[in-house]
Amino acid sequence: MSSLTSDPNQTDINTIIRPPYFFISGFIDIPYMKYYYFFLCFVYINSLVANTFVMTGIYVDRSLHSPKYIAVFNLAFTDVCESTALVPKLLDMFLFSRQLISYDQCLTSLFFVFLFITMQSFNLTILSYDRLVAICCPLRYHMMVTHKSMLQLTGAAWTFAVLMLLISVCLITRLSFCRSLVINSYFCDHGPLFRLAAPCSDVVPNIVMSKINTCIVLYLPMIFIISSYICITHALFTITLPQDRLRAIKTCTSHLILVSIFYLPVILTYVLHPIIPTNARIINLSLTSVLPPMLNPIIYVLKTEEFKVSVKKLLRRGAQSAVTQVKPT
């Protein structure tokens, strides 16, 4: 299918050629890839269970209805959505050889996958802000981090992400695809998709938007997070009680692990894109897409003392309810 093309004779200066479908190439000439897809399925199921458990726990336990857990709930929600937007379709395409995807489905998939990836980045940034205020300005924390401010931050992040992705998708709809229709990725990836139109259309606006998106989603959040942790490190040295310092370090360590897992592989892939083979790029990005949603609840939420106490309370309440129901009257 590597020779799949659109008809170049249809090209007209006033005509936009939109093909009926694209072909997702996926991995090229790698044996035993079905085992990798089964691994992705396993990761997806674990991600779904863990994040649903976290959202349920936060929703049910009123003691977790704090501003910080608005961001945590939103992170778990976007993890579930991002995995669901990507993995089931990926497994359907490559396990059952259904690699043709219609033009409209392709753009829809692109929009939602990148929307939820963008929100994962924004959520990690919001959580970094929460840690920054909690450790550097503890006396002003409850004034600066309120339910209203967290809802405003989260709502602004969603609005901005939707507008940014709508612009990216709209810029693709103006392109003509008159040559190859093979997308060298594991889903309708933005860069590999608009580059197919390069022989027939002006893709400079798409390139500019791609670079703007990369800066907003990857580089600016990373700069903010690094800057916030420089301030946090300075503040940690001013904490006199060892137990308070240890608790702050534990929380920051969990968040830093999540940041490293999410940002570093993607940034390295973008920086080294010209020299990374296609298969290596696809494996790296696919793992980066599915592993953080599974690890986020395990590393960041399930290890926190607040959530452990909440889970024990809910389990105790459930056990008492079960005993009450079976007790004879």
Side-chain angles (χ1 to χ4, degrees):
M1 297 295 290
S2 60
S3 61
L4 188 68
T5 61
S6 181
D7 183 4
N9 294 323
Q10 297 177 28
T11 307
D12 186 286
I13 192 168
N14 296 316
T15 302
I16 295 177
I17 301 173
R18 294 175 179 171
Y21 52 76
F22 294 100
F23 181 82
I24 311 294
S25 67
F27 299 98
I28 302 169
D29 299 327
I30 299 183
Y32 309 113
M33 280 310 299
K34 283 193 175 183
Y35 296 109
Y36 179 69
Y37 299 133
F38 285 125
F39 167 72
L40 293 183
C41 182
F42 169 78
V43 171
Y44 170 65
I45 292 170
N46 277 276
S47 170
L48 210 60
V49 171
N51 283 291
T52 302
F53 178 72
V54 167
M55 288 190 290
T56 304
I58 294 172
Y59 178 77
V60 171
D61 190 353
R62 295 186 67 84
S63 67
L64 297 179
H65 292 185
S66 62
K68 170 189 169 183
Y69 279 95
I70 293 175
V72 172
F73 185 95
N74 197 43
L75 179 62
F77 174 73
T78 52
D79 284 344
V80 168
C81 292
E82 190 263 335
S83 297
T84 303
L86 181 63
V87 177
K89 185 61 180 176
L90 185 151
L91 297 176
D92 179 61
M93 283 192 296
F94 297 114
L95 283 179
F96 302 102
S97 300
R98 298 169 180 165
Q99 290 163 259
L100 291 178
I101 183 169
S102 71
Y103 180 88
D104 291 338
Q105 284 181 332
C106 186
L107 295 190
T108 302
S109 172
L110 183 155
F111 175 82
F112 282 107
V113 171
F114 277 99
L115 172 64
F116 297 128
I117 290 174
T118 301
M119 281 307 303
Q120 283 177 323
S121 176
F122 289 169
N123 285 327
L124 289 173
T125 308
I126 292 171
L127 287 169
S128 177
Y129 166 75
D130 174 82
R131 291 299 85 206
L132 175 67
V133 177
I135 295 172
C136 296
C137 309
L139 298 178
R140 300 178 59 194
Y141 178 78
H142 293 292
M143 289 186 292
M144 296 175 66
V145 182
T146 62
H147 288 86
K148 182 179 179 181
S149 65
M150 270 298 180
L151 288 171
Q152 287 174 338
L153 277 174
T154 305
W158 275 104
T159 303
F160 187 75
V162 168
L163 290 175
M164 195 168 66
L165 267 300
L166 282 175
I167 293 171
S168 297
V169 172
C170 288
L171 286 174
I172 287 177
T173 60
R174 51 175 281 282
L175 301 178
S176 287
F177 296 88
C178 62
R179 294 290 189 273
S180 174
L181 301 178
V182 179
I183 300 174
N184 292 318
S185 188
Y186 60 103
F187 74 109
C188 283
D189 203 346
H190 183 244
L193 176 60
F194 76 70
R195 289 189 186 96
L196 294 179
C200 327
S201 302
D202 177 17
V203 296
V204 171
N206 302 82
I207 294 172
V208 171
M209 193 63 200
S210 176
K211 293 186 182 300
I212 291 173
N213 289 350
T214 303
C215 287
I216 292 173
V217 176
L218 295 178
Y219 300 138
L220 291 181
M222 272 299 294
I223 291 170
F224 176 82
I225 291 170
I226 291 170
S227 302
S228 67
Y229 272 99
I230 291 172
C231 298
I232 287 171
T233 303
H234 179 266
L236 287 174
F237 286 108
T238 65
I239 298 176
T240 54
L241 294 176
Q243 60 268 30
D244 290 345
R245 188 185 299 121
L246 182 62
R247 187 167 63 247
I249 289 173
K250 280 184 177 179
T251 307
C252 293
T253 302
S254 299
H255 183 256
L256 277 174
I257 292 171
L258 297 186
V259 168
S260 302
I261 292 171
F262 180 82
Y263 287 105
L264 291 182
V266 180
I267 289 175
L268 285 174
T269 301
Y270 275 99
V271 171
L272 302 176
H273 180 267
I275 61 174
I276 293 181
T278 300
N279 286 334
R281 177 178 61 82
I282 292 175
I283 288 177
N284 190 20
L285 291 178
S286 61
L287 286 176
T288 305
S289 300
V290 298
L291 284 180
M294 182 185 74
L295 297 175
N296 284 350
I298 297 170
I299 294 173
Y300 193 74
V301 180
L302 301 180
K303 283 179 65 178
T304 61
E305 199 60 36
E306 291 171 299
F307 203 85
K308 285 180 182 178
V309 171
S310 173
V311 169
K312 288 176 184 177
K313 191 193 304 180
L314 290 173
L315 291 176
R316 198 180 302 119
R317 191 185 304 165
Q320 290 173 350
S321 175
V323 169
T324 304
Q325 287 179 1
V326 300
K327 189 180 293 184
T329 55

